[in-house]
Amino acid sequence: MLFNSYAFVLLFLPLGLLGFYLLGRLCRDIRVSRAFLLLLSLVFYASHDLRFVPILLGSALVNHLLARAMPRTIGGRPRPRLWLVLGLLANVGALLFFKYTNFFIATYNQLTGGHQPALQLLLPLGISFYTFQQIAFLVDAYRGQAPRYPLLDYLCFVTFFPTVMSGPIALHSEVIPQLQADDQRRFQWENFARGLLAFSLGMAKKVLLADTLGQAADYGFASIPGMNTPTALVVMLCYTLQLYFDFSGYCDMATGLGLFFNVKLPQNFNSPYRALTISDFWRRWHMTLTRFFTQYIYIPLGGNRRGMARTCCHVMVVFCISGLWHGANWTFVVWGLLHGGAQVLHRLCKKQVEKLHPALSWLLTFSFVNLTWVIFRAPTLRDAWAFLGNIFRMDLGPLDLYLTEHFDLVEFLWLRLQIMPTQARWNLMMCLLFVAFALVASIQMKNTDERLACFRPRFSTMVVCAFLLVWSLLSFSGVSSFLYVMF
């Protein structure tokens, strides 16, 4: 059950909200509503695979116990570091086992010519996100910056269904105090209205834009051999925009769902394609992941306090980990190293970069991001090089008209409503206009957090939200997973 499914929108969410606020009104003990929220989150998580639930709960229980054990003494002497090390080993070990065991086996076979069989392992949904979230909690507990939360509150924080799949990677101090607030169980019209705006915008981004662009991107990456330069450029741009609207849509929907339950989640996405430098890009893309790497890896390594050479090494380590975190494939590692190298280059040439015209600086940054997304998306490094080769060999043939058959939104508008002729040339023109609109929207239009900052309840806003939700529901052509769920 995903956010963009009939079961979630028409059944799970309405019943969940009704039960949560009804219990909040009828029961004096605020823990009852919290327990219902925990049950709701576990049902949501179990709907993907019931076998994932013991892993999630086991991880949460172990981390909660370790955090509680930290202030205790062994042999009369405080040893909080021992429990921190055990916690880090447990969390990183679980992540390595479930996500990377078969990657290590495949790499070993490639290097040695061996034939070790891959293991039949589950990949628990969201393990990359809730593991990092709990590592941050353990480190804060070790530093004395995390209170001794009740188990129920901590479990609600870890399993909270708007964030458990793909983040944001929220800190305990951002969520648990909101869950503990007495007014959290009381329905608040303003939060609900703001949540409805965020959720409807996110749904439209995912269903109407990302899924439509994804059809063309999937076709292109499955047809790399023989693809000419114009087609490769359009496919690359389609994936760049698909990833943008898919992840932005998820972040908006998670924000909206949090507000439905009176929980304000941290901002995770801030129009990254407006960035003028690669450093600016990473301050805007997956902001909570960048924050985690900065606070819990980069700074503990030494940050920028030990000279430029050590700083550059720290940056490369962080981006290597970031690449590997995104997936068990060498394409992600290379993607991370390229972004790390770009960050290092920006640090070394900062004065020269600042002298560039903003338009040129944006073009260089956006082009670099586009080209590296190709490596990020390609199944193998060989496919990535072949795709990039198609771009740079300058084969200026006609655009592949078969791409137009993969724009379901175009089909919805022009075939079902018969507003325009359906000849190939019209489809091609409309597809290019659709891609151009998506590009302009990703750069120029206000993002959802900007809209929420100046939100005022209006009848027109309600109409727009209703229109987007209905249009999105009518456009469901099957449940398509969010891209970051796979990471």
Side-chain angles (χ1 to χ4, degrees):
M1 181 167 54
L2 296 170
F3 296 164
N4 55 320
S5 64
Y6 291 118
F8 182 87
V9 176
L10 301 180
L11 185 64
F12 177 86
L13 184 58
L15 293 179
L17 288 169
L18 180 64
F20 180 78
Y21 287 114
L22 196 60
L23 289 173
R25 188 177 184 85
L26 298 178
C27 301
R28 292 186 176 180
D29 191 342
I30 62 175
R31 291 175 297 181
V32 175
S33 295
R34 219 169 295 152
F36 179 80
L37 183 58
L38 173 61
L39 178 63
L40 196 67
S41 297
L42 292 177
V43 169
F44 173 80
Y45 195 72
S47 69
H48 296 86
D49 195 322
L50 186 61
R51 295 172 295 175
F52 295 162
V53 175
I55 299 171
L56 173 63
L57 288 178
S59 174
L61 289 171
V62 167
N63 281 284
H64 186 263
L65 290 173
L66 286 169
R68 280 186 168 269
M70 282 184 184
R72 298 177 184 175
T73 62
I74 299 176
R77 298 175 58 191
R79 293 286 182 86
R81 190 183 295 270
L82 171 64
W83 302 112
L84 175 64
V85 172
L86 288 176
L88 294 177
L89 289 175
N91 282 284
V92 175
L95 187 59
L96 289 174
F97 176 74
F98 286 109
K99 191 170 181 179
Y100 301 103
T101 297
N102 286 330
F103 171 66
F104 294 143
I105 291 174
T107 302
Y108 171 81
N109 288 338
Q110 290 175 357
L111 293 176
T112 65
H115 298 85
Q116 294 293 328
L119 302 181
Q120 299 299 315
L121 295 175
L122 294 171
L123 180 57
L125 179 74
I127 188 172
S128 299
F129 293 89
Y130 67 71
T131 297
F132 273 20
Q133 194 161 272
Q134 295 189 96
I135 288 175
F137 167 70
L138 278 182
V139 173
D140 286 354
Y142 169 72
R143 295 170 175 170
Q145 298 171 353
R148 301 187 75 179
Y149 298 114
L151 179 60
L152 176 60
D153 297 351
Y154 182 73
L155 289 177
C156 281
F157 161 64
V158 175
T159 64
F160 192 40
F161 75 89
T163 66
V164 72
M165 282 198 312
S166 299
I169 302 173
L171 302 179
H172 58 92
S173 57
E174 295 172 324
V175 175
I176 296 182
Q178 296 186 73
L179 295 174
Q180 293 174 331
D182 184 60
D183 60 353
Q184 195 251 341
R185 60 183 177 144
R186 296 188 176 91
F187 186 82
Q188 299 181 31
W189 278 108
E190 183 177 351
N191 277 346
F192 185 82
R194 292 160 62 88
L196 184 62
L197 174 63
F199 187 81
S200 59
L201 289 173
M203 179 78 80
K205 288 178 182 179
K206 166 62 178 170
V207 176
L208 302 180
L209 296 176
D211 287 353
T212 302
L213 292 159
Q215 297 287 335
D218 290 344
Y219 163 72
F221 277 93
S223 311
I224 295 175
M227 190 162 50
N228 60 30
T229 298
T231 303
L233 288 171
V234 171
V235 170
M236 177 182 70
L237 190 56
C238 282
Y239 180 69
T240 294
L241 295 171
Q242 178 202 4
L243 189 56
Y244 177 96
F245 287 109
D246 189 280
F247 191 43
S248 177
Y250 178 89
C251 293
D252 291 351
M253 294 171 80
T255 296
L257 291 170
L259 289 171
F260 286 159
F261 291 90
N262 298 319
V263 174
K264 184 179 180 181
L265 296 174
Q267 186 178 2
N268 202 29
F269 205 82
N270 186 20
S271 302
Y273 292 166
R274 297 178 188 171
L276 300 183
T277 66
I278 196 64
S279 296
D280 188 27
F281 172 81
W282 279 103
R283 286 191 290 268
R284 294 168 174 269
W285 180 275
H286 210 328
M287 297 161 66
T288 57
L289 180 64
T290 301
R291 177 180 64 178
F292 175 87
F293 282 128
T294 301
Q295 294 184 5
Y296 298 99
I297 297 180
Y298 177 71
I299 293 177
L301 283 174
N304 59 359
R305 302 187 303 273
R306 299 182 181 180
M308 182 58 73
R310 291 288 295 272
T311 298
C312 293
C313 289
H314 299 159
V315 169
M316 293 303 295
V317 168
V318 165
F319 274 91
C320 182
I321 296 173
S322 174
L324 195 58
W325 177 87
H326 279 85
N329 194 320
W330 284 108
T331 55
F332 296 111
V333 176
V334 172
W335 170 81
L337 292 175
L338 286 172
H339 273 267
Q343 289 271 22
V344 168
L345 185 62
H346 177 251
R347 285 177 178 270
L348 296 175
C349 305
K350 190 172 183 180
K351 292 182 179 179
Q352 290 81 355
V353 171
E354 290 175 349
K355 295 178 181 178
L356 294 176
H357 190 279
L360 178 59
S361 185
W362 173 84
L363 182 61
L364 291 172
T365 302
F366 187 67
S367 299
F368 174 80
V369 169
N370 269 267
L371 293 171
T372 52
W373 280 144
V374 170
I375 302 172
F376 187 87
R377 170 62 175 81
T380 66
L381 287 173
R382 180 176 295 178
D383 291 326
W385 307 144
F387 193 109
L388 293 173
N390 290 337
I391 293 176
F392 290 106
R393 64 189 172 93
M394 300 304 292
D395 178 7
L396 303 179
L399 189 67
D400 188 347
L401 294 180
Y402 190 64
L403 279 174
T404 63
E405 298 182 17
H406 294 269
F407 280 80
D408 289 343
L409 181 60
V410 174
E411 180 184 342
F412 179 82
L413 285 173
W414 289 283
L415 295 185
R416 296 186 192 175
L417 301 184
Q418 296 181 349
I419 295 176
M420 293 286 289
T422 59
Q423 288 89 348
R425 64 178 183 276
W426 285 106
N427 279 350
L428 176 60
M429 182 184 72
M430 293 304 165
C431 289
L432 292 177
L433 288 175
F434 180 74
V435 173
F437 164 77
L439 178 60
V440 172
S442 68
I443 299 170
Q444 291 295 331
M445 289 187 177
K446 286 184 178 180
N447 60 51
T448 300
D449 289 279
E450 291 171 334
R451 295 180 186 279
L452 291 178
C454 59
F455 173 77
R456 296 290 183 275
R458 295 186 181 91
F459 178 76
S460 58
T461 305
M462 182 187 69
V463 171
V464 170
C465 291
F467 174 74
L468 290 176
L469 283 175
V470 171
W471 190 6
S472 298
L473 286 171
L474 292 176
S475 300
F476 282 177
S477 58
V479 179
S480 59
S481 178
F482 290 90
L483 295 179
Y484 260 78
V485 171
M486 300 181 288
F487 305 144

